[in-house]
Amino acid sequence: LRQIRGLPELAAQKIVAARDQDGSFGSLADLARRTGLGQAVIERLGKADALASLKQDRRVALWQALGQERKPQEQPLFDPHISDDDEDALLPALGGQEEVIADYRATGLSLKAHPLSFYREALGSLGVATAVELESRPNNRQVRVAGLVILRQRPSTAKGITFVTLEDETGTINLVIKPPVWERYYRIVRTSAGWLAHGRLERRSGVTHVIVNRIEDLEGRLGELKVQSRDFR
């Protein structure tokens, strides 16, 4: 629940308290009845796929959320006038890639798949190596890598060099970006969630890096993912 963007802490506490007191929720209506949560909060839960345990996919959950009260209601647990969820609307299910993108937008991660896995065939045709494949590539060769940006770091002792970590479906990739390259691709390196990086593979003391000389923006191809990197100085 902490991962769901925009979900108030108080709402999460109500969900946990109701679940601890009376057990799992049987339906969306049961969730709303026992927690007193309003439409906006239930909609956020639906977008984050948090209602999957109620056997509802995102689209059905969002459809039913529209029928909830806009403001939290104080309702008795056994109010006879409160009906259970209406019959599920016949809505097309999201595809695998759409599910993963929706996960990232709602929570910043997904347990279903990694976004780059859906583009691996296309990336492979461009000669892009995965994190695992880099380990077997010859040292000091030119390579191409791609991934989501999960870390940017520029230590004060690094003479302006920025260290970036990319993540693909097989692991992480360490990039070394010198000041001229950083400045040349400033807009991409500061704002893009996904990169295609070109550079020279360097392996020292068991650590593999890519010394970057060119950076391309992958974010548009990844469905405008909302990925928050950890940036340090």
Side-chain angles (χ1 to χ4, degrees):
L1 292 174
R2 289 197 301 269
Q3 293 292 132
I4 301 176
R5 292 188 171 116
L7 183 69
E9 182 178 355
L10 180 59
Q13 291 173 347
K14 288 182 177 180
I15 294 170
V16 173
R19 188 178 58 198
D20 289 346
Q21 180 175 342
D22 296 309
S24 300
F25 302 106
S27 65
L28 190 148
D30 183 38
L31 170 67
R33 181 165 59 242
R34 287 163 54 188
T35 61
L37 298 176
Q39 183 190 90
V41 172
I42 293 176
E43 183 177 348
R44 287 192 181 277
L45 293 172
K47 287 182 176 179
D49 207 22
L51 304 178
S53 62
L54 305 180
K55 298 181 179 179
Q56 295 180 328
D57 66 18
R58 278 189 171 90
R59 283 178 172 156
V60 173
L62 290 175
W63 176 266
Q64 291 195 353
L66 294 176
Q68 303 301 313
E69 297 289 343
R70 290 188 176 277
K71 295 182 179 180
Q73 301 292 313
E74 292 294 334
Q75 299 169 336
L77 182 59
F78 299 107
D79 189 335
H81 300 293
I82 298 176
S83 62
D84 209 346
D85 295 341
D86 295 332
E87 184 177 347
D88 289 349
L90 297 177
L91 300 174
L94 294 174
Q97 184 175 352
E98 292 176 308
E99 286 279 4
V100 170
I101 289 174
D103 282 344
Y104 270 83
R105 287 175 173 170
T107 66
L109 56 88
S110 177
L111 301 180
K112 300 178 179 70
H114 193 280
L116 258 68
S117 65
F118 299 101
Y119 298 89
R120 182 49 57 191
E121 184 176 350
L123 291 171
S125 68
L126 296 175
V128 175
T130 66
V132 167
E133 290 171 343
L134 281 185
E135 297 305 318
S136 60
R137 293 292 176 92
N139 196 21
N140 291 319
R141 296 290 182 87
Q142 290 295 312
V143 295
R144 296 177 182 177
V145 294
L148 302 182
V149 181
I150 61 173
L151 172 69
R152 298 176 178 88
Q153 186 172 14
R154 183 182 294 169
S156 59
T157 57
K159 299 181 180 179
I161 293 175
T162 304
F163 300 95
V164 175
T165 302
L166 299 185
E167 176 193 78
D168 67 13
E169 71 272 31
T170 70
T172 57
I173 303 164
N174 300 313
L175 306 182
V176 176
I177 307 177
K178 297 180 179 180
V181 177
W182 182 270
E183 293 300 326
R184 187 182 312 147
Y185 299 101
Y186 187 78
R187 183 194 63 80
I188 296 174
V189 297
R190 291 300 301 168
T191 64
S192 176
W195 299 0
L196 170 58
H198 306 243
R200 179 175 55 83
L201 183 67
E202 181 178 270
R203 193 174 289 110
R204 288 186 180 182
S205 303
V207 178
T208 301
H209 295 87
V210 177
I211 311 301
V212 177
N213 53 47
R214 180 183 169 195
I215 302 170
E216 297 181 47
D217 186 1
L218 275 183
E219 188 172 12
R221 301 184 187 183
L222 300 178
E224 297 182 356
L225 289 176
K226 301 299 182 183
V227 181
Q228 184 65 50
S229 68
R230 295 176 293 162
D231 299 337
F232 302 95
R233 282 195 170 276

